[in-house]
Amino acid sequence: MIKCRLLLVVAFACAPQISAGQTQETQTAAAVPPDPTTVTIPDLSFKPSKRDAGRYDEYFYFHKSGVSYEKAFTDLQECAAYSQVFQFMLSPPHFVPLGSEPYKADQSQHYDNAFLQFGLIGVGILGFAMDILASYDERVNTRRCMGYKHYQRYGTSRAIWRQIDKGNVASQKIARLALIASGPVPAGEPVEP
Amino acid sequence: MKFRLFLTAFFLMPVAVFAQAEENFEKGAVPQISPDKAYFLIRTREPEDLPAGPLLVRALSPDELIGAMERHKKDPRYKEPPNTVLMDGSIPFAKTGDEKTLLVAAKPGIYILAAEAHVGSNFKDRGIMAVCLCLGTVRFEAKPGVITDMGTLLVARDDKPSPIPELASAVRGKFVDISAVTVVVALKPETDSMPVPESLANLPRVTADYRAQRAFPNYFGVPINRLIAIPGVLDYDDDGHVVDLKTTK
């Protein structure tokens, strides 16, 4: 039993190192905006419930009068790039590759510690928590970045947001948001940036 | 068996073998000025519960950068020589009222004010990164053999109203989402009215010559923000892009 546990400890300790070696850079080259005629967006109208209004920090899109689809796509992509690496409880680093692209985040220490203290359950919980924290971090960063670009933010429902955010192709999601951002002024009042 | 487990855990612990990038001078310890080191002086006003920890990053030469990237490609865990300077507000050189003076020595070069960290006894190691000033900040040259006076750094928590007038309208003043507590940062370049500890008055000291630094990648993977505009140095256009006021006069 102990041998099995030791083997698992070593396996989990090595796993992040192996993946870190395979992918070293995380910033991707700027994508070309998809043809807007191929992009479909959901009907944005909805009757906000009290619950919807309490979740506008989580479900939202942007709009800026007079902005083109291409410009909105570039702005959204630029802002998204600031959240491509997420570091949990990072201590101030001794070295920063200023001038290069950011290195892939190394979270192996946290996973090692979680496994040593709580085993596989700890690793599972940590992975779940990391995903949630990374999402929150991305939302806060995007709001800050798009706010400085003078985009208005509009809250939406979870159901509509899921249609905007569907799929696994980042450029398609950004394209939907860019089409909304450059389209007609949304109904309702904007919320704080 | 417990001993074997302990050994396994011991060897899996990350080994912190870092050459220290900077030397923070505490409690009025006047440095012997070395001709091959740069000295950084900054005054800070900050929240009581979160001592300021400005993080400076030294620009790398092309050779340094290419070498670092190649070594990282071969071994992502390779430890490069340090190029950051953490000015630790929890161990100030001097403190008067709500203002601290920090004094640090490090390698000369061109530095950018890249980030702010939470430091102090509440945090392990060197603290925790609070915010990356990725969306716009300043750079300056720190020359060897002199103290570069960086002026006064103003820091406020983003989730609470700030009593610092320069930051009062910049903070959100309330909790947003569940992300970590982040901060808003302003910098006032040195003026004659800013006090200098008497023990440093006779040492060679120059005012930091700030230039606007355009946006850079979020190397830290933490919340982002930008340094508040500085008259005559740094501003932002309607697209949120940095405007260098020294070159666009």
Side-chain angles (χ1 to χ4, degrees), chain A residues 111-126:
Chain A
Y111 282 98
D112 293 350
N113 290 340
F115 186 83
L116 286 167
Q117 289 185 54
F118 306 107
L120 281 174
I121 292 171
V123 171
I125 291 171
L126 181 64

Side-chain angles (χ1 to χ4, degrees), chain A residues 24 90 93 100 108 136 148, chain B residues 73 77 84 129 177 219 225:
Chain A
Q24 54 165 310
L90 177 73
S100 95
S108 57
Y136 287 137
Y148 285 149
Chain B
K73 198 174 178 182
R77 292 194 162 190
T84 67
M129 293 299 298
D177 225 312
Y219 294 105
N225 207 336

Side-chain angles (χ1 to χ4, degrees), chain A residues 112-180:
Chain A
D112 293 350
N113 290 340
F115 186 83
L116 286 167
Q117 289 185 54
F118 306 107
L120 281 174
I121 292 171
V123 171
I125 291 171
L126 181 64
F128 181 67
M130 289 279 210
D131 282 348
I132 290 174
L133 290 172
S135 298
Y136 287 137
D137 201 54
E138 183 178 1
R139 285 201 293 272
V140 171
N141 284 350
T142 304
R143 281 175 62 173
R144 181 86 68 185
C145 181
M146 293 296 279
Y148 285 149
K149 292 177 181 295
H150 297 280
Y151 282 78
Q152 303 270 26
R153 190 172 71 93
Y154 291 83
T156 189
S157 69
R158 186 182 188 184
I160 293 172
W161 170 251
R162 282 188 164 174
Q163 293 178 64
I164 297 171
D165 195 48
K166 72 181 175 189
N168 292 318
V169 183
S171 62
Q172 283 293 330
K173 295 179 188 178
I174 292 177
R176 283 184 212 112
L177 285 167
L179 207 55
I180 295 168

Side-chain angles (χ1 to χ4, degrees), chain A residues 20-35:
Chain A
Q22 286 167 343
T23 315
Q24 54 165 310
E25 307 293 355
T26 55
Q27 297 278 86
T28 50
V32 177
D35 180 349

Side-chain angles (χ1 to χ4, degrees), chain B residues 144-216:
Chain B
V146 293
I147 296 172
T148 300
D149 193 326
M150 297 172 60
T152 303
L153 189 78
L154 308 171
V155 181
R157 289 176 65 125
D158 193 37
D159 63 339
K160 291 183 176 177
S162 172
I164 300 173
E166 292 88 339
L167 298 175
S169 63
V171 295
R172 288 184 188 272
K174 64 173 193 174
F175 196 66
V176 174
D177 225 312
I178 66 154
S179 60
V181 171
T182 186
V183 291
V184 177
V185 184
L187 181 66
K188 294 166 79 175
E190 195 239 346
T191 61
D192 290 344
S193 64
M194 291 182 183
V196 176
E198 214 176 299
S199 57
L200 303 178
N202 292 326
L203 297 178
R205 186 168 54 89
V206 295
T207 301
D209 181 16
Y210 288 118
R211 295 297 165 104
Q213 169 66 45
R214 64 180 183 165
F216 59 91

Side-chain angles (χ1 to χ4, degrees), chain A residues 2-3 5-6 9-10 13 16-17 20-22 24-25 27 57-58 64 71 75 78-79 81-83 85-104 106 108-110 112-113 116 132-133 136-137 139-145 148-150 192-193, chain B residues 1 4-5 8-9 12-14 18-21 55 57-60 65 68-69 72-73 76-77 80-84 86 112 117 124-129 134-135 158 170 172 174-179 182 184 215-226 237-241:
Chain A
I2 293 293
K3 273 185 184 171
R5 189 178 160 84
L6 281 175
V9 169
V10 173
Q17 296 171 38
Q22 286 167 343
Q24 54 165 310
E25 307 293 355
Q27 297 278 86
D57 277 350
E58 208 168 340
K64 186 174 179 177
K71 175 79 173 102
D75 288 342
E78 180 189 321
C79 290
Y82 290 108
S83 304
V85 176
F86 169 69
Q87 298 264 22
F88 177 61
M89 304 281 276
L90 177 73
S91 191
H94 290 264
F95 179 78
V96 172
L98 190 63
S100 95
E101 294 177 338
Y103 295 159
K104 182 179 163 55
D106 181 4
S108 57
Q109 182 185 345
H110 300 303
D112 293 350
N113 290 340
L116 286 167
I132 290 174
L133 290 172
Y136 287 137
D137 201 54
R139 285 201 293 272
V140 171
N141 284 350
T142 304
R143 281 175 62 173
R144 181 86 68 185
C145 181
Y148 285 149
K149 292 177 181 295
H150 297 280
E192 63 175 324
Chain B
M1 203 53 81
R4 283 179 64 183
L5 269 176
T8 309
L12 289 176
M13 288 289 176
F18 292 116
Q20 200 65 26
L55 186 76
V57 176
R58 183 174 57 80
L60 300 167
L65 181 59
M69 288 167 70
H72 179 77
K73 198 174 178 182
R77 292 194 162 190
E80 290 290 335
N83 74 330
T84 67
L86 178 65
I112 67 170
K124 65 172 190 170
D125 300 331
R126 296 193 344 144
I128 289 174
M129 293 299 298
C134 310
L135 299 177
D158 193 37
R172 288 184 188 272
K174 64 173 193 174
F175 196 66
V176 174
D177 225 312
I178 66 154
S179 60
T182 186
V184 177
F216 59 91
N218 186 0
Y219 294 105
F220 314 103
V222 297
I224 57 168
N225 207 336
R226 66 188 189 189
D237 65 18
D238 282 350
D239 271 338
H241 293 146

